[in-house]
Amino acid sequence: FVENSFKHGLQGGTGKVLIEIDLHVKASDLEFRVSNTCRPGDSLNLEKRQGIGIKNTRQRLDLLYPGRHSLNISREKELFEVSLRLELKQ
């Protein structure tokens, strides 16, 4: 997700570029968020745009953290955001 924020956040070449990465561990929870600017002309339909990497990530999370994770991917106007929460201890 971090690599993709640079790859897609820096495309377009001009204008304001924002990449924000947050990682917090509280007790037994890990919270990770990455957001980046994206081109206004990019498709807003995330379902069609999600490639094999996101699908594989979701499958791995289901295997490693069954019922103990959440992964949300969203896009609003020119901001793309990934938010991941993991429950580290059972």
Side-chain angles (χ1 to χ4, degrees):
F1 294 121
V2 172
E3 177 184 356
N4 281 346
S5 71
F6 282 89
K7 178 181 173 184
H8 297 291
L10 298 176
Q11 285 182 354
T14 61
K16 180 181 167 187
V17 174
L18 169 74
I19 297 173
E20 210 170 74
I21 302 167
D22 295 307
L23 178 68
H24 299 277
V25 178
K26 299 175 187 174
S28 63
D29 287 340
L30 180 142
E31 296 177 9
F32 169 75
R33 185 182 63 83
V34 61
S35 58
N36 59 273
T37 51
C38 49
R39 291 182 289 180
D42 285 352
S43 170
L44 293 176
N45 189 342
L46 292 175
E47 294 302 317
K48 285 185 179 179
R49 293 186 50 95
Q50 291 183 4
I52 191 82
I54 293 174
K55 181 181 177 183
N56 285 343
T57 299
R58 288 187 190 279
Q59 289 174 344
R60 287 182 187 172
L61 288 169
D62 287 340
L63 289 171
L64 296 171
Y65 300 94
R68 299 182 298 127
H69 72 278
S70 66
L71 175 62
N72 297 306
I73 301 172
S74 62
R75 160 110 191 240
E76 282 192 35
K77 297 181 182 177
E78 296 178 15
L79 188 67
F80 186 83
E81 182 173 288
V82 174
S83 179
L84 173 65
R85 186 195 57 77
L86 300 175
E87 186 180 320
L88 301 175
K89 297 180 183 178
Q90 295 186 31

